[in-house]
Amino acid sequence: MTARAWAELLRISALFTVPGDALAGAAAAGRRPDRSTALAMGASLCLYEAGMALNDWADRDEDAVDRPHRPIPSGRITPRAALTAAGALTAAGLALAARAGRPALGVATGLAATVWAYDLRLKHTPAGPAAMAAARGLDLALGAVATGAGRARPARTGLAAAALPACLLSAHTYAVTAVSRHEAQGGSTGAPLAALAAVAAVAAVGGAVVGERPAPVRGGAVRPPRSAPARLLLTALTGAYLRTAARPLAHAALNPSPPLTQRAVGSGIRAMIPLQAALAARAGAAGSALAVMGLVPLARALSRKVSPT
């Protein structure tokens, strides 16, 4: 029961939505994944889990009334243990980012600050969705600046290349977070409709084929999709993203009940995986795109074993 309680607290079933951020960021920067990408991925996972633990610690009084089955109000995990885990995971994430280089540590520090600000202060304010969106965008940027660390390449080059993919991932995150604010009571038609429009816009931009790069590709860089198979892969991944996110949002807009709203939020979270894969394919990293999509069955298997909280 203790292991299951920690799995629920840390939202293990959603953990597989994280590694794709670093891979999409590496692809956007025009670099193949390397050791520093793996370090960035580890940092992302630690900071994500820190946010999950801190979220339940901050919401423990509210959950005692509205969600007494959660690990802290049910007594399966103490508040002190949850807060300690959040601090330890944050420290571990920053330590891993530091090993990937100073630029990666800078981005990871901003990400950690955003996570803590969201959970402790911004979550229940109008700035909440924007903070969550910023966290996802920074997570993708972390992979972009970490990959290729040590080579003669300014960090700002990776950040500039990752700007559009980070904005697309942030837009999706903002939309899903806005819908999640109504999952307990339901009743909102506007939020799912706005999210549906955002998903369509993200798919339209993300599914567009990148043009030719003027500079020759060297030093482990990747090429944007130019061949017919690469374009087909991008189309398929964009379609998978739309199928995962759009239909539940449409159902929630037609019938904004709590169960359908919660289903739309869950699908929106899972849709991050095909979105990350599509962003990697858009940058020409077909291998990374397929690797990200390989996380889908793992995420589904865990979601069946660990009930959502």
Side-chain angles (χ1 to χ4, degrees):
M1 289 300 294
T2 300
R4 184 178 182 85
W6 280 104
E8 292 179 11
L9 181 81
L10 298 176
R11 313 296 198 278
I12 295 297
S13 59
L15 196 60
F16 291 105
T17 68
V18 178
D21 289 346
L23 290 175
R31 295 288 180 180
R32 298 187 188 279
D34 56 16
R35 175 180 176 274
S36 295
T37 313
L39 289 171
M41 197 179 301
S44 297
L45 290 168
C46 288
L47 294 175
Y48 182 85
E49 294 292 43
M52 294 298 101
L54 185 63
N55 174 79
D56 276 22
W57 179 85
D59 288 350
R60 62 192 184 281
D61 293 334
E62 175 185 331
D63 288 345
V65 176
D66 297 333
R67 309 171 188 87
H69 60 282
R70 283 189 169 178
I72 293 179
S74 65
R76 291 176 291 158
I77 294 178
T78 65
R80 182 178 181 180
L83 183 59
T84 300
L89 286 165
T90 300
L94 294 176
L96 287 171
R99 294 188 63 187
R102 185 176 297 178
L105 177 60
V107 175
T109 301
L111 173 58
T114 303
V115 168
W116 280 73
Y118 173 81
D119 283 333
L120 298 182
R121 182 62 63 89
L122 301 177
K123 181 178 180 181
H124 300 294
T125 72
M132 183 65 79
R136 274 290 177 171
L138 286 169
D139 203 31
L140 189 147
L142 177 59
V145 300
T147 305
R151 298 175 183 171
R153 182 177 65 93
R156 62 178 178 271
T157 303
L159 285 175
L164 178 58
C167 286
L168 293 175
L169 185 60
S170 295
H172 173 83
T173 305
Y174 186 102
V176 174
T177 305
V179 175
S180 73
R181 295 189 155 207
H182 306 279
E183 60 182 343
Q185 293 81 22
S188 173
T189 297
L193 280 176
L196 189 59
V199 165
V202 168
V205 177
V209 177
V210 181
E212 294 284 339
R213 291 183 179 177
V217 179
R218 300 177 299 176
V222 295
R223 294 181 179 272
R226 301 184 180 105
S227 65
R231 292 169 185 261
L232 182 61
L233 175 62
L234 177 58
T235 301
L237 293 174
T238 305
Y241 164 64
L242 276 173
R243 286 194 303 273
T244 305
R247 186 173 180 180
L249 285 171
H251 289 168
L254 292 172
N255 179 12
S257 63
L260 289 181
T261 303
Q262 292 165 13
R263 187 176 302 173
V265 172
S267 297
I269 295 173
R270 291 190 296 273
M272 290 181 182
I273 298 179
L275 175 57
Q276 294 157 347
L279 293 174
R282 185 177 186 272
S288 294
L290 294 175
V292 172
M293 285 302 291
L295 299 174
V296 172
L298 298 175
R300 288 176 178 171
L302 268 182
S303 66
R304 288 193 292 266
K305 290 183 179 180
V306 182
S307 60
T309 56

